[in-house]
Amino acid sequence: MAAERPKILIALRQALFDLLFAPTQQARLRGLGDVTMPAQAGDLSEAQLTALVGGHDIVITSWGSPTFSAAVLAEADRLKLIAHSAGSIKGLLPPPVFVSGRRVTHVAYSMSIPVAETTLALILLCLRRFHKIDRAFQDGGWAAARGLPPGGELAGNRVGVIGAGYTGRAVIRRLLALEAQVWLCDPYVSDESAAALGARKAPLETLMRECPIVTLQAPATTETYRMIGAEQLSWLRDGAIFINTARAHLIDEAALLAELQTGRISAALDVFDQEPLPDDSPFRGLDNLIMTPHIAAVTQQAYKRQGAITVDEVASFLSEGKLRYEVTRDMLDTMA
């Protein structure tokens, strides 16, 4: 008698599933088990997930999936794997998920690539002041743009990276490839591990005082909430460049705004306390600031890589019981 095929529940809306999972990956997934796709256009509610989860061995989640509450888990009689086809999991998967042999994987690695590339691009734009050159050229012509002071180079420059998760490490690799000197602040990385990454470990204050370029790549945790405030920003040298492609959670936004309004430093920000950013935000119009609308991780390749990695993890779990990007309970306190 043939073994029963695994039951796989897709706990995300159809449009998002199609965005992340190419047709070849959808076919692979259906080859791995019996797939249930709820017939609705919007996100599942917690009540709907509670009604659906029973009898399923694997649940695939992503942005907009409901929290695995006590009610959901009470019905998850066969659940063995939650494969999250996005990065941050804290709001979705509370600690009780990680008991009774249930396992979790995610695809944060997939998004580290575009975020690292965005970070590098923003550093280079700020160094060369291309945003100011463009505005001067558009408004005042050739002479106005050529009349601005020259910018700087990345090669040989010292860059401070705060946080060495997937994205921080991807940023470090790219900075080193362009011959920058990298300093790293991360309490969970030893001096030896930092050196192996090609970076010099430094305390936060030292890094912010000594590095003319600082990029924030730390996760949003209780420990990192508002880790950069007025005091920390005051440590930056005049003319420093500050980048945040991580989370607004990490910064005292009012303190950063006040610092930028002095003109003493410049910055590039992809994340804000209030998103979308209000039309009347005082950040708008600052000529020492580059803003992007929380799109650092958004690329066509990243979307499809998220789906491909998710299917790879499901396949590996079913065939060998192995997960390349497993998330365990003891990792929750130090990750997003």
Side-chain angles (χ1 to χ4, degrees):
M1 183 175 179
E4 182 182 7
R5 282 164 55 85
K7 307 293 185 184
I8 303 171
L9 172 64
I10 309 298
L12 55 149
R13 59 189 182 276
Q14 179 75 56
L16 181 56
F17 180 69
D18 290 339
L19 178 66
L20 301 181
F21 294 80
T24 53
Q25 300 300 338
Q26 295 187 28
R28 280 184 66 204
L29 197 59
R30 292 189 173 94
L32 294 172
D34 295 335
V35 175
T36 300
M37 168 63 77
Q40 62 177 63
D43 293 331
L44 286 179
S45 68
E46 184 181 316
Q48 288 170 323
L49 179 59
T50 302
L52 288 168
V53 72
H56 287 91
D57 304 283
I58 297 169
V59 178
I60 293 178
T61 60
S62 189
W63 302 301
S65 296
T67 298
F68 279 67
S69 64
V72 172
L73 293 177
E75 298 300 320
D77 53 331
R78 286 176 43 173
L79 182 59
K80 302 178 184 68
L81 173 67
I82 300 170
H84 187 52
S85 56
S88 300
I89 64 169
K90 279 190 174 176
L92 180 73
L93 305 177
V97 167
F98 298 84
V99 297
S100 301
R102 288 185 289 260
R103 296 172 69 185
V104 173
T105 184
H106 69 161
V107 297
Y109 165 75
S110 174
M111 291 172 285
S112 70
I113 297 171
V115 176
E117 290 187 358
T118 299
T119 301
L120 182 61
L122 292 173
I123 290 172
L124 292 169
L125 287 170
C126 288
L127 273 170
R128 295 298 302 275
R129 303 171 185 164
F130 280 130
H131 57 302
K132 293 188 177 183
I133 292 171
D134 176 73
R135 291 168 191 168
F137 205 171
Q138 297 279 3
D139 297 339
W142 183 279
R146 288 294 300 256
L148 293 174
E153 298 177 357
L154 181 57
N157 221 326
R158 191 160 52 243
V159 183
V161 178
I162 302 173
Y166 285 123
T167 302
R169 291 168 187 250
V171 169
I172 289 170
R173 289 193 295 271
R174 286 157 178 76
L175 290 170
L176 292 172
L178 293 182
E179 301 180 0
Q181 301 174 33
V182 180
W183 288 23
L184 172 65
C185 176
D186 189 317
Y188 300 98
V189 175
S190 67
D191 292 351
E192 294 75 18
S193 295
L197 293 171
R200 169 181 171 179
K201 188 174 180 185
L204 181 62
E205 181 172 354
T206 302
L207 180 148
M208 294 192 71
R209 289 189 184 278
E210 298 297 329
C211 294
I213 306 163
V214 174
T215 179
L216 190 53
Q217 311 298 160
T221 67
T222 302
E223 185 180 10
T224 62
Y225 179 72
R226 301 295 187 254
M227 67 180 294
I228 305 296
E231 180 181 7
Q232 290 75 28
L233 291 167
S234 73
W235 296 337
L236 291 170
R237 60 179 60 186
D238 291 351
I241 294 168
F242 182 79
I243 310 289
N244 185 14
T245 55
R247 289 287 185 267
H249 167 104
L250 310 171
I251 299 179
D252 180 336
E253 196 170 87
L256 178 59
L257 175 63
E259 194 68 65
L260 287 169
Q261 287 173 332
T262 70
R264 194 179 70 82
I265 67 169
S266 61
L269 305 175
D270 184 56
V271 289
F272 302 88
D273 281 345
Q274 185 176 347
E275 296 181 356
L277 190 69
D279 292 342
D280 62 352
S281 168
F283 282 109
R284 295 179 181 273
L286 292 175
D287 67 359
N288 55 339
L289 173 64
I290 298 175
M291 297 189 294
T292 52
H294 204 152
I295 57 169
V298 178
T299 65
Q300 298 173 26
Q301 294 91 335
Y303 281 152
K304 291 300 185 279
R305 190 166 49 243
Q306 288 171 233
I309 291 175
T310 301
V311 178
D312 286 345
E313 290 287 80
V314 171
S316 178
F317 175 79
L318 291 174
S319 64
E320 303 179 75
K322 295 180 180 179
L323 295 168
R324 184 175 182 182
Y325 300 107
E326 184 163 12
V327 177
T328 60
R329 171 63 186 88
D330 59 1
M331 295 168 64
L332 288 183
D333 292 339
T334 58
M335 66 184 298

